[in-house]
């Protein structure tokens, strides 16, 4: 039961992007299409889950003063792995995500969870926390990406939905990302207010 | 010379790091509620970015590339930046304590300010030489400062404006940023770039 709470926290209550406002850069930059959003979500999830696992496993041997450099080394190891794996197996996706793959290393979600959760909790809980946070991140990315792709390119996952000429190109340009996330947050505020 | 000017303005306005490239947004929304904190953050970014991109350029081109250790660049760059930030923190604490207090948590967070790391990576991806990468990092950090200071001016006004309840706080900040980003799109193709 406890594990389910760990899972749930990342999805709704402490959703990293829409609630805590961290991990914003990749969320806005690569969410031009649903496919990119899922690719970025998967890469970040891999790093987050494994860094949580390793940090929780070694937490008893890590001296307090130098924990941050140690976390960063662990995270950058996994980022380098996923960077090269994606370059080898999904070169096109790797190209469209560009500099944002190596930048996963400074995604505040990952260092934040290592410091706030994995460093203080057992391995299994930390892995579940990582899965929950990853799902929350991927869902936020997917919802922004889908809205932008539908409105901006008239398609979803690359399948055309309506006449492309009717699409508002500004939605896949940078301003579209800011507008979409602004309205999503306002919507979340409104829904939550009604629930209470 | 004109090539260097081109690099500078492309980084400063056309590919503005915050509003067009979407890098370093956490600090963009985090410190921009007040004008003085955003000025403090900008000066920290200009300083750290210029020094760290110089050091990481040297590290990459004199050590990592000749030894074929390119895969270590992520780890090497982030460690360089983290130690530089520590240095700056010590200096500010001693020399300008008021600024140090004003920046609070955001100074250590500059380690995870993706702009610093992104510039180190991008200068290598674009195959810039040393002078070009210095000009590039000045352009990027100048563009960062321009965007965050303008944004702080607007946010100080929207804080007092009558805004629908659901949009107060972050949602209206994002919509403001959208309008600013739209304005910066107007620089595309300027100077024939």
């Amino acid at each position: 039961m406890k594990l389910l709470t760990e899972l749930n926290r990342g999805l709704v209550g402490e959703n990293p992007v829409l609630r805590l406002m961290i991990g914003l850069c990749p969320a806005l930059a690569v969410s031009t299409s649903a496919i990119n959003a899922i690719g970025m979500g998967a890469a970040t999830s891999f790093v987050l889950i494994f860094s949580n696992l390793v940090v929780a496993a070694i937490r008893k041997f890590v001296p307090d003063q130098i924990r941050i450099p140690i976390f960063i080394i662990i995270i950058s190891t996994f980022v380098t792995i996923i960077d090269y794996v994606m370059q080898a197996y999904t070169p096109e996706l790797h190209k469209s995500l560009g500099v944002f793959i190596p930048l996963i290393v400074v995604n505040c979600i990952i260092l934040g969870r290592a410091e706030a959760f994995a460093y203080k909790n057992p391995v299994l809980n930390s892995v579940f926390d990582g899965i929950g946070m990853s799902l929350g991140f991927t869902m936020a990315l997917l919802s922004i990406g889908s809205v932008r792709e539908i409105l901006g390119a008239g398609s979803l996952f690359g399948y055309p939905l309506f006449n492309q000429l009717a699409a508002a190109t500004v939605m896949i340009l940078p301003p579209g990302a800011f507008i979409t996330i602004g309205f999503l947050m306002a919507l979340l505020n409104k829904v939550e207010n009604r629930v209470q | 010379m004109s090539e260097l000017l081109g690099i500078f303005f492309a980084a400063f306005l056309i590919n503005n790091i915050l509003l067009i490239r979407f890098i370093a947004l956490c600090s963009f929304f985090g410190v921009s509620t007040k004008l003085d904190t955003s000025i403090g953050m900008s000066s920290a970014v200009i300083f750290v970015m210029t020094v760290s991109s110089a050091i990481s350029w040297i590290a990459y081109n004199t050590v990592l590339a000749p030894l074929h250790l390119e895969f270590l660049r992520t780890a090497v760059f982030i460690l360089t930046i983290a130690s530089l930030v520590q240095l700056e923190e010590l200096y500010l604490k001693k020399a300008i304590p008021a600024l140090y207090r004003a920046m609070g948590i955001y100074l250590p967070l500059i380690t995870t300010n993706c702009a610093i790391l992104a510039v180190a990576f991008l200068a290598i991806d674009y195959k810039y030489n040393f002078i070009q990468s210095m000009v590039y990092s000045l352009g990027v950090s100048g563009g960062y400062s321009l965007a965050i200071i303008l944004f702080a001016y607007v946010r100080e006004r929207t804080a007092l404006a009558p805004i629908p309840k659901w949009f107060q706080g972050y949602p209206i900040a994002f919509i403001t940023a959208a309008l600013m980003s739209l304005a910066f799109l107007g620089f595309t193709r300027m100077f024939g770039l």
Side-chain angles (χ1 to χ4, degrees), chain A:
Chain A
M1 228 26 239
K2 182 92 197 317
L3 291 178
L4 273 184
T5 344
E6 319 284 19
L7 204 66
N8 210 0
R9 182 179 42 226
L11 270 176
V12 192
E14 291 182 20
N15 186 301
V17 176
L18 297 173
R19 268 301 147 74
L20 303 185
M21 310 276 304
I22 55 179
L24 277 178
C25 321
L28 292 177
V30 303
S31 62
T32 45
S33 71
I35 274 289
N36 279 358
I38 289 195
M40 188 68 207
T44 310
S45 309
F46 169 82
V47 177
L48 180 54
I49 294 168
F50 279 94
S51 76
N52 259 11
L53 187 147
V54 174
V55 168
I58 63 166
R59 70 184 190 283
K60 299 232 167 80
F61 318 106
V62 172
D64 219 29
Q65 300 85 347
I66 55 161
R67 64 182 193 285
I68 301 281
I70 291 179
F71 294 164
I72 290 177
I73 296 284
I74 294 169
I75 295 168
S76 67
T77 309
F78 286 113
V79 171
T80 308
I81 294 174
I82 195 77
D83 191 9
Y84 279 74
V85 167
M86 286 182 83
Q87 213 167 341
Y89 292 97
T90 57
E92 250 168 58
L93 189 63
H94 184 270
K95 207 169 169 204
S96 70
L97 298 181
V99 74
F100 286 94
I101 300 275
L103 283 186
I104 294 175
V105 75
V106 283
N107 187 325
C108 342
I109 300 173
I110 296 168
L111 191 61
R113 289 330 283 174
E115 166 81 4
F117 196 90
Y119 190 56
K120 297 170 193 135
N121 288 283
V123 174
L124 202 57
N125 296 46
S126 306
V127 169
F128 271 82
D129 177 75
I131 296 175
M133 284 288 158
S134 310
L135 285 176
F137 179 70
T138 313
M139 265 179 32
L141 239 70
L142 186 60
S143 49
I144 300 169
S146 315
V147 170
R148 288 181 68 191
E149 198 185 342
I150 293 172
L151 294 179
S155 61
L156 188 61
F157 289 105
Y159 297 105
L161 295 178
F162 56 84
N163 187 350
Q164 313 245 320
L165 292 176
T169 316
V170 70
M171 292 305 285
I172 50 172
L173 292 177
F178 285 120
I179 293 193
T180 312
I181 195 168
F183 274 90
L184 272 181
M185 277 178 174
L187 192 73
L188 204 69
N189 281 351
K190 187 164 176 127
V191 168
E192 194 185 44
N193 211 283
R194 181 154 304 167
V195 170
Q196 284 166 357

Side-chain angles (χ1 to χ4, degrees), chain A residues 21 25 28-29 72-73 76 80 84 100 102 105-106 108 111 170 174-175 177-179 181-183 185-186 189-190 193, chain B residues 19-26 71 75 78-79 111-112 114 117 121 165-167 170-171 174-175 177-178 181-182 185:
Chain A
M21 310 276 304
C25 321
L28 292 177
I72 290 177
I73 296 284
S76 67
T80 308
Y84 279 74
F100 286 94
V105 75
V106 283
C108 342
L111 191 61
V170 70
F178 285 120
I179 293 193
I181 195 168
F183 274 90
M185 277 178 174
N189 281 351
K190 187 164 176 127
N193 211 283
Chain B
L19 293 165
I20 306 290
R21 301 289 303 248
F22 295 126
I23 293 176
L25 288 176
C26 306
F71 64 92
I78 190 82
L79 287 178
T111 316
T112 52
C114 13
L117 189 61
F121 282 130
K165 200 171 159 220
W166 323 119
F167 281 94
Y170 284 122
F174 276 98
I175 289 166
S181 159
L182 205 57
L185 269 189

Side-chain angles (χ1 to χ4, degrees), chain B residues 12 15 18 32 37 42 61 64 72 74 78 89 101 107 121 129 146 153 155 158 163 166 182:
Chain B
F12 186 56
N15 287 321
L18 290 170
S32 64
T37 49
S42 313
N61 285 291
L64 296 183
L72 278 180
T74 313
I78 190 82
E89 201 177 341
R101 272 195 303 277
L107 193 60
F121 282 130
N129 64 31
L146 177 73
Y153 273 114
R155 277 189 86 177
T158 52
I163 286 162
W166 323 119
L182 205 57

Side-chain angles (χ1 to χ4, degrees), chain B residues 101-136:
Chain B
R101 272 195 303 277
M103 309 217 327
I105 186 173
Y106 284 96
L107 193 60
L109 275 188
I110 216 177
T111 316
T112 52
N113 185 323
C114 13
I116 313 276
L117 189 61
V119 167
F121 282 130
L122 288 172
I124 283 164
D125 286 349
Y126 294 155
K127 302 200 168 43
Y128 284 155
N129 64 31
F130 188 72
I131 305 285
Q132 285 170 328
S133 77
M134 285 294 89
V135 172
Y136 179 68

